[in-house]
C-alpha cells in the first residue's frame, strides 16, 4: 500500500496581525471549523504568525487544545550568539513550533537570501527538530526565459544538499508571479512543477522520502480555486497568504473537501 500524505493547509500571515489580533483570529477560526463539524484529522492546519505572536498563539493552542500546528516565518542559520535581531531554531522548538518557512520569495527578494542561505537555514531547522517548509518558485522573467520548472528545481536541489533521507521536510512551490497577484497558476501548471519537485526529493533523499514528503502549491490560493489544486496527485496542500487572514475564507479553504465536494 502506498504512503498517505495528510493534506497540509498552511496560513502564512506574513507581517500581519499583532498578538492580540492573533488570539481573536485563532479562536474564531477554531469555532468556525467546529461549528462546521470539520474533521480535524482529514487536513492538517498550520498557522505561521509573526515572531512576536508565537508565544501567545502557542499558549492559546495548548490551553484550548486547538489542533493547529504552529510555524514560524523564518529562522537564523546560527543557533546562538552575536546575531542581533535573529531568531534561533532552538527558541522556536521551545515554543513547540513544528514548522518553519524557509526561502520564501519575499526573503529572497527583500533580504537577498541566496540558495546557499536557504540550505544553511534548512540545516538549522532540522538540527532543532523543526520541519522546514522550503519555498521555491520562478519569477515571471524566469518563466519567460527558462520555463516554469528549471528555477524551482535548481533551488530545491541546493536546499536539499546534505539533508538526511529520513528528514521531515515540506516543499512549497510558489511561482513568484502568482503571489498576491490574484493570478494563480492553473492546477495543471502546479501539478507539473510539483511532480518535478517530488522527483528532486526522490533523487536527493530517496523514494521513501519522496512518497511521504508533502509538496504544497502557493500563490493566490482562495476558496474558489483550492479544490482544483487538491485534485492533483502531486499537490498535497497549500501555502496561503492573503486568504489566510480572513477567517471565513481560510476556513473554507481548509474545508475544501466538503465545501466544493472533492
Ligand atoms: O506564503 C504565501 C504565499 O506567498 C502566497 O501568498 P498569497 O496567497 O497572498 O498569494
Amino acid at each position: 500500500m502506498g504512503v498517505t500524505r495528510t493534506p497540509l493547509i498552511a496560513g502564512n500571515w506574513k507581517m500581519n496581525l499583532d498578538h492580540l489580533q492573533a488570539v481573536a483570529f485563532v479562536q474564531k477560526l477554531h469555532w468556525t471549523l467546529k461549528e462546521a463539524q470539520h474533521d480535524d484529522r482529514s487536513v492538517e492546519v498550520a498557522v505561521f504568525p509573526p515572531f512576536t505572536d508565537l508565544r501567545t498563539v502557542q499558549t492559546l493552542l495548548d490551553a484550548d487544545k486547538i489542533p493547529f500546528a504552529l510555524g514560524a516565518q523564518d529562522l537564523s542559520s546560527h543557533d546562538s550568539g552575536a546575531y542581533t535581531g535573529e531568531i534561533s531554531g532552538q527558541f522556536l522548538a521551545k515554543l513547540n513550533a513544528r514548522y518553519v518557512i524557509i526561502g520564501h520569495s519575499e526573503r529572497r527578494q527583500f533580504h537577498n537570501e541566496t540558495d546557499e542561505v536557504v540550505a544553511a537555514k534548512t540545516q538549522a531547522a532540522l538540527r532543532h527538530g523543526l520541519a522546514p517548509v522550503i519555498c521555491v518558485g520562478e519569477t515571471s522573467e524566469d518563466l519567460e526565459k527558462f520555463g516554469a520548472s528549471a528555477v524551482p528545481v535548481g533551488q530545491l536541489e541546493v536546499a536539499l544538499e546534505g539533508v538526511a533521507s529520513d528528514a521531515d521536510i515540506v516543499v512549497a512551490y510558489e511561482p513568484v508571479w502568482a503571489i498576491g497577484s490574484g493570478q494563480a497558476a492553473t492546477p495543471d501548471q502546479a501539478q507539473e512543477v510539483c511532480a518535478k519537485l517530488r522527483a528532486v526529493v526522490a533523487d536527493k533523499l530517496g523514494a521513501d522520502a519522496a512518497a511521504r514528503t508533502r509538496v504544497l502549491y502557493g500563490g493566490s490560493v482562495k476558496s474558489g480555486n483550492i479544490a482544483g489544486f487538491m485534485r492533483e496527485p502531486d499537490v498535497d496542500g497549500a501555502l496561503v497568504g492573503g486568504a489566510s487572514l480572513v477567517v471565513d475564507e481560510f476556513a473554507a479553504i481548509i474545508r475544501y473537501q466538503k465545501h466544493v465536494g472533492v
Side-chain angles (χ1 to χ4, degrees):
M1 221 176 78
V3 179
T4 324
R5 298 185 290 270
T6 303
L8 173 60
I9 301 292
N12 175 13
W13 296 356
K14 306 192 178 182
M15 198 171 71
N16 295 290
L17 305 185
D18 63 34
H19 72 289
L20 300 174
Q21 294 168 318
V23 168
F25 182 94
V26 168
Q27 283 177 329
K28 194 163 175 225
L29 179 63
H30 180 50
W31 292 333
T32 302
L33 292 170
K34 254 184 127 174
E35 221 161 68
Q37 298 184 326
H38 172 72
D39 172 10
D40 292 338
R41 287 155 308 172
S42 64
V43 177
E44 184 182 2
V45 178
V47 290
F48 292 75
F51 286 129
T52 50
D53 300 6
L54 284 172
R55 174 67 169 142
T56 311
V57 173
Q58 177 241 338
T59 306
L60 173 65
L61 297 179
D62 286 357
D64 289 5
K65 298 196 173 34
I66 298 175
F68 304 160
L70 185 63
Q73 298 176 16
D74 185 32
L75 87 173
S76 173
S77 58
H78 304 282
D79 295 342
S80 65
Y83 301 103
T84 301
E86 294 289 282
I87 301 288
S88 166
Q90 61 192 343
F91 306 158
L92 301 176
K94 281 210 173 137
L95 289 177
N96 293 337
R98 157 131 171 69
Y99 297 106
V100 57
I101 293 173
I102 294 179
H104 191 281
S105 67
E106 288 146 19
R107 302 287 319 169
R108 293 179 190 261
Q109 185 185 348
F110 303 128
H111 300 271
N112 302 318
E113 288 194 6
T114 61
D115 291 347
E116 289 67 30
V117 169
V118 171
K121 289 187 171 190
T122 298
Q123 293 293 339
L126 293 170
R127 273 200 299 280
H128 297 292
L130 303 160
V133 179
I134 303 167
C135 297
V136 296
E138 80 288 0
T139 63
S140 48
E141 292 77 36
D142 296 332
L143 180 65
E144 215 164 277
K145 273 199 217 150
F146 313 113
S149 58
V151 167
V153 160
Q155 290 172 333
L156 187 60
E157 283 172 344
V158 179
L160 294 184
E161 243 2 281
V163 170
S165 59
D166 62 351
D168 182 16
I169 63 162
V170 176
V171 176
Y173 168 51
E174 295 212 311
V176 181
W177 48 268
I179 295 176
S181 67
Q183 196 203 336
T186 64
D188 280 359
Q189 287 170 326
Q191 164 59 24
E192 192 185 326
V193 180
C194 288
K196 288 188 178 156
L197 296 173
R198 192 178 306 286
V200 173
V201 177
D203 185 44
K204 295 276 176 195
L205 310 187
D208 287 356
R212 68 162 189 275
T213 295
R214 284 162 308 168
V215 181
L216 314 182
Y217 167 76
S220 296
V221 170
K222 311 268 182 260
S223 60
N225 61 18
I226 181 70
F229 294 113
M230 298 307 289
R231 281 192 196 101
E232 298 295 340
D234 285 296
V235 179
D236 305 312
L239 183 53
V240 186
S244 76
L245 297 168
V246 182
V247 170
D248 289 341
E249 178 65 4
F250 194 45
I253 292 171
I254 293 164
R255 299 183 64 239
Y256 68 91
Q257 289 151 316
K258 287 205 176 109
H259 184 66
V260 274
V262 173

